[in-house]
Every structure is written in C-alpha cells, then in structure tokens.
Amino acid sequence: QVQLVESGGGLVQAGGSLRLSCAASGSTFSIDAMGWYRQAPGKQRELVAEITSGSSTNYADSVKGRFTISRDNAKNTVWYLQMNNLKPEDTAVYYCNVNGRGKGWARYDIWGRGTQVTVSS
C-alpha cells in the first residue's frame, strides 16, 4: 500500500518562499505522475503542478513563473514544490498526490493528508 508524507507548510509574508516536500513509501512500483493540489476555504481542490514519469511538467496559470515542481533524482519517490513570490491568494491546504501502478499492475491514486500554507499580506 502506498502512503504519502508531506512537509514544509507554514506561515509566510507575501513575497516570501516556501518549499513543500512529499515522500511516497510502499509498493509504488511504477509511478505515472506526482503532483500538488490545493484547496482554499469555500473552493474546490485544484491542480497546482504535476510532473510525470517522463519529467513533463504542468502548472496552473496562476502559479506559472513562481512555483516549480521537481523530483529528487536519487529518490524517485520524493518530490518538491518550490513556491516563490507567494501571494495571499496562494493560501490553502496543499495536498500531494501520486498515481501509478503497484503490485499486480493494479492502479493507485493516493493523496497526502495536506499541509497548510498561509500567506499574510
């Protein structure tokens, strides 16, 4: 069974930076994509950024040029979200996500518990 552990959230002033980390453990076997999503109060969860097994990346328009998703090359089961020039509207609970195939080639789609990011103006 795949499990995710997130870290790195917190409180930061507008214009500041934070880096989120997510580590997957268990039978990841073959990862298709790793991503970060966020959910602000009263809003739906939205994709922030994702990186595929082939290292293609995709970003929400609102974070392009400010956020960078990356994967640890030594540990393919660890990925990061570097967030620069943070804005109050980036305030949300951030969730990491991984999807792929595990033992028996069964598909999985796993979410972390979430980490709070608060940006003060």
Side-chain angles (χ1 to χ4, degrees):
Q1 188 173 1
V2 178
Q3 294 182 322
L4 301 179
V5 176
E6 301 147 328
S7 61
L11 173 65
V12 65
Q13 288 188 333
S17 298
L18 284 173
R19 190 175 84 155
L20 306 182
S21 300
C22 188
S25 61
S27 302
T28 54
F29 193 61
S30 179
I31 293 175
D32 291 333
M34 305 164 168
W36 290 96
Y37 292 71
R38 67 186 180 187
Q39 187 167 18
K43 295 188 177 181
Q44 289 188 331
R45 189 174 298 187
E46 63 176 358
L47 173 69
V48 177
E50 67 177 355
I51 182 167
T52 69
S53 58
S55 298
S56 296
T57 56
N58 181 36
Y59 294 93
D61 288 342
S62 60
V63 306
K64 284 181 180 177
R66 299 188 297 121
F67 291 11
T68 303
I69 189 169
S70 63
R71 180 175 55 229
D72 189 315
N73 289 329
K75 302 176 183 178
N76 289 329
T77 55
V78 177
W79 61 105
Y80 308 99
L81 184 68
Q82 178 65 44
M83 305 184 292
N84 297 328
N85 190 22
L86 282 158
K87 303 176 180 180
E89 51 264 42
D90 295 318
T91 295
V93 177
Y94 284 69
Y95 298 88
C96 64
N97 172 268
V98 65
N99 61 80
R101 293 187 182 272
K103 288 184 177 179
W105 213 236
R107 289 205 59 85
Y108 59 81
D109 188 353
I110 306 298
W111 294 89
R113 292 186 174 183
T115 184
Q116 178 70 45
V117 171
T118 302
V119 184
S120 63
S121 57

